[in-house]
Amino acid sequence: MSTSTDNASIVSPTTEIMTSTVFDELGLERDSDNIYLQIIGAMLHAAEILEVPHHIQLILAQPKNEIMVHFPVLMDNGNYALFKGYRVQHNNALGPYKGGIRFHPHVGLDDVKALSALMTMKCSLVRIPFGGGKGGVKCDPRALSEDELMRVTRRFVCAIAPQIGPDDDIPAPDVGTTSQVMAWFADTYMQISEQTNAPAVVTGKPVEFGGSLGRDKATGQGVIDVLAEMLPDIGLTFASSTCSVLGFGNVGSWAAKLYSERGGKVCAVMDHTGAVYHKDGLDITALDEYARDHHGIAGFEKTPSGAEAITEEQFYSVKVDVFIPAALEQMITKEKADLLNCKLIAEAANAPMTPRGERALIARGIEILPAILCSAGGVTVSYFEWVQNRANQYWDLEKVDDELNRHMVLAARRTQLARHRFGVDMRTAAYIGALEQIAQVYKVRGIFP
Ligand code: NAD
């Protein structure tokens, strides 16, 4: 990793990304506000540097399949509501499509396409034999009863069942979906496909139903594994550093917990309900318990934890070494980026910053560790879960943690190597590390017929 002075001279991938002729050939607009086009642009920028053959760039610039479904669900009040769901299968050159299912009111086709492309890149960067997919249902899971949530899940599985399967496309949890949702998912698929031994159709299941030990914490753990590799490059250790975390769901809470277990101080946390601060580091175990009981962190300042409530603006302005965005996409706008007071950003969330936000951060010499590297821990342990299901094995936690660490460390080193070799920013370097593998696989497989 370079120093911050080096960084100032590196061009942000999103400033120059949309120069590729692939945009014209596919009739894609050069719209940097569109999250799918941002991601494709950054990927093509890296592909040009790596000199990936043009036909492979064309293939990777569009998903293979975009599945959109509508399905009715009986609500508790006796009425039927119609739901819209998506499954986008971006690329399967390396193996079955793999990627999470999101339940959120703002799920839309371009988001799902963008996230599916990121999955292709993530799986390739960490060298697991999966392609990229993503799905979602436009709904507010917090507004559904448990029975309604189960019926939405089961009907969605019925709608996409012909397109998925343990050898074809393997969903997983994402924002708004839990291990319980994955259990209903697997059960429904097993009922309708009549494959009684097919829990491998989905990962992130409860441990008692074929889930893997360590899957729950895997994405947060992967962030920490990458930071352990990268922090020394800027003269820091966990014990000597401070951080703030945006989002306190699965990924954010685990990243915060593991950061503080390594001796680091997590000084500020924000979720959709509020933000809290403690200059000596928040008690993350207490915050986690509180957030579970209260469905958010708001009010934690009223407990005897010593934490104080802060505003959104104060949260972004807190001086820390590391900022971990672990909430939703595109939250770090230029305005938020201008407030940030950190040395390093570890993207635990997918595509957490807008191009203008990213440009502002790079101009200030702030190092950005991209999502396809930092947040690849979840899919890596999902792969371990799939392997265990297929082999009817159960790995102990030590084995899961060791294997995850090995994949994450190698991916981090691959990224650092590409950065030095090509003199590019970390995001482009991570894409190069991913594209090397895909380009090589296409080369040896060729294009049918
Ligand atoms: P989650 O639903 O468990 O948590 C999301 C968090 O974001 C919640 O704490 C919520 O309060 C917070 N949030 C939402 N809107 C906010 C707002 N406006 N302001 C502040 N906070 C807000 O989701 P998750 O599984 O932790 O995923 C978080 C991110 O990580 C997403 O981008 C997801 O795609 C990505 N990711 C998740 C996994 C995984 O294994 N779960 C794997 C890779 C990447």
Side-chain angles (χ1 to χ4, degrees), residues 100 102-104 115 119 122 134 142 172-178 215-220 245-253 269-274 295-297 312 315-316 325-329 331 347-352 371 374-379 382:
R102 173 172 298 193
F103 284 1
H104 193 273
L115 295 167
M119 288 306 296
K122 263 184 216 183
K134 200 82 182 187
R142 292 195 192 104
D174 189 68
V175 174
T177 50
T178 58
R215 174 60 185 89
D216 206 26
K217 65 174 180 161
T219 309
V245 180
L246 171 62
F248 202 66
N250 171 285
V251 180
S253 65
V269 170
M270 185 167 95
D271 74 359
H272 70 288
T273 65
H295 305 290
I297 64 175
E312 184 179 13
F315 168 80
Y316 281 105
L328 300 181
E329 293 79 33
M331 287 184 68
E347 291 186 343
N350 289 303
C374 287
S375 75
V379 72
S382 274

Side-chain angles (χ1 to χ4, degrees), residues 222-242:
V223 176
I224 298 302
D225 286 346
V226 170
L227 280 173
E229 277 299 293
M230 302 297 198
L231 282 178
D233 286 356
I234 52 167
L236 291 174
T237 61
F238 284 108
S240 68
S241 64
T242 53

Side-chain angles (χ1 to χ4, degrees), residues 25-231:
E25 282 167 76
L26 297 177
L28 302 174
E29 279 179 44
R30 289 181 164 81
D31 175 6
S32 65
D33 289 333
N34 177 300
I35 184 171
Y36 180 66
L37 298 174
Q38 281 171 27
I39 282 162
I40 292 305
M43 186 188 73
L44 292 173
H45 172 73
E48 281 297 315
I49 293 169
L50 188 63
E51 297 179 4
V52 171
H54 190 72
H55 68 279
I56 299 176
Q57 295 190 32
L58 279 175
I59 292 169
L60 292 173
Q62 289 286 31
K64 267 194 153 176
N65 303 309
E66 297 171 22
I67 301 149
M68 212 186 300
V69 294
H70 295 94
F71 53 92
V73 174
L74 179 64
M75 307 307 281
D76 291 347
N77 63 8
N79 294 333
Y80 287 91
L82 195 72
F83 289 83
K84 190 185 196 88
Y86 303 88
R87 185 69 185 167
V88 173
Q89 300 170 327
H90 178 257
N91 188 274
N92 62 351
L94 302 185
Y97 304 104
K98 182 89 190 84
I101 298 283
R102 173 172 298 193
F103 284 1
H104 193 273
H106 297 146
V107 165
L109 183 59
D110 275 341
D111 306 319
V112 181
K113 282 169 68 177
L115 295 167
S116 72
L118 282 178
M119 288 306 296
T120 301
M121 295 294 121
K122 263 184 216 183
C123 294
S124 187
L125 180 62
V126 291
R127 301 293 192 263
I128 58 176
F130 283 146
K134 200 82 182 187
V137 176
K138 196 172 170 59
C139 68
D140 181 359
R142 292 195 192 104
L144 298 174
S145 70
E146 194 175 6
D147 281 352
E148 288 170 340
L149 188 62
M150 181 180 72
R151 290 195 292 270
V152 168
T153 306
R154 291 193 186 281
R155 280 302 304 246
F156 179 53
V157 178
C158 288
I160 63 167
Q163 275 87 28
I164 62 170
D167 291 314
D168 303 310
D169 183 354
I170 306 136
D174 189 68
V175 174
T177 50
T178 58
S179 58
Q180 175 61 71
V181 171
M182 296 303 113
W184 292 325
F185 198 112
D187 178 68
T188 309
Y189 183 83
M190 288 157 74
Q191 303 293 336
I192 60 180
S193 70
E194 296 181 5
Q195 295 181 50
T196 49
N197 190 20
V201 66
V202 73
T203 57
K205 300 178 292 290
V207 172
E208 55 274 32
F209 183 34
S212 178
L213 292 173
R215 174 60 185 89
D216 206 26
K217 65 174 180 161
T219 309
Q221 174 105 47
V223 176
I224 298 302
D225 286 346
V226 170
L227 280 173
E229 277 299 293
M230 302 297 198
L231 282 178

